[in-house]
Amino acid sequence: MSQFSSIIEVLAVENEERTSKRTGNKYNHFAARCVLRDDKGGVVTVGTLRSDQILPELREQVKVGLFSAVFSLRVADFGDSKGDIVSILTGFTPAQARMPAPPKAA
């Protein structure tokens, strides 16, 4: 299976119990608000990692901070993405801060 790695800065983690509008059943909602950074520490984009994009055994490791994240591709088997090829977080370790160098004075 192919794996891809990225540097992710987790800014906030949401973990709350919700109730399904369709079934009335309770479920846990998990989402991490993140910044995707390049190799030099610059911002590439911002986004959210949802629980269905993270291996269950890694969810407790997702906390505010800077991490090296490893992703793999899989075919989703439920929800709106059922049948789609999606990424899933399969590795998550603390990373050293690599902030961009300040611009040079002219």
Side-chain angles (χ1 to χ4, degrees):
M1 181 180 300
S2 297
Q3 294 187 340
F4 311 91
S5 64
S6 296
I7 300 295
I8 292 181
E9 182 177 4
V10 177
L11 303 175
V13 176
E14 301 169 2
N15 196 3
E16 62 188 24
E17 187 176 271
R18 293 185 176 179
T19 303
S20 169
K21 293 177 186 175
R22 186 174 58 85
T23 66
N25 295 335
K26 294 191 181 298
Y27 66 95
N28 287 325
H29 167 76
F30 177 91
R33 307 294 178 191
C34 302
V35 175
L36 179 63
R37 296 195 173 272
D38 62 24
D39 291 338
K40 296 179 182 176
V43 174
V44 175
T45 192
V46 296
T48 302
L49 281 172
R50 296 181 322 271
S51 57
D52 62 337
Q53 298 169 309
I54 304 170
L55 288 177
E57 57 269 23
L58 294 179
R59 291 182 193 148
E60 288 187 21
Q61 295 177 36
V62 179
K63 299 184 181 348
V64 173
L66 193 66
F67 298 88
S68 175
V70 177
F71 294 89
S72 294
L73 298 177
R74 69 174 180 138
V75 175
D77 56 1
F78 66 93
D80 292 338
S81 299
K82 185 175 182 176
D84 293 345
I85 296 174
V86 297
S87 63
I88 185 166
L89 184 71
T90 57
F92 200 69
T93 56
Q96 296 291 328
R98 293 181 237 168
M99 293 298 123
K104 294 182 180 182

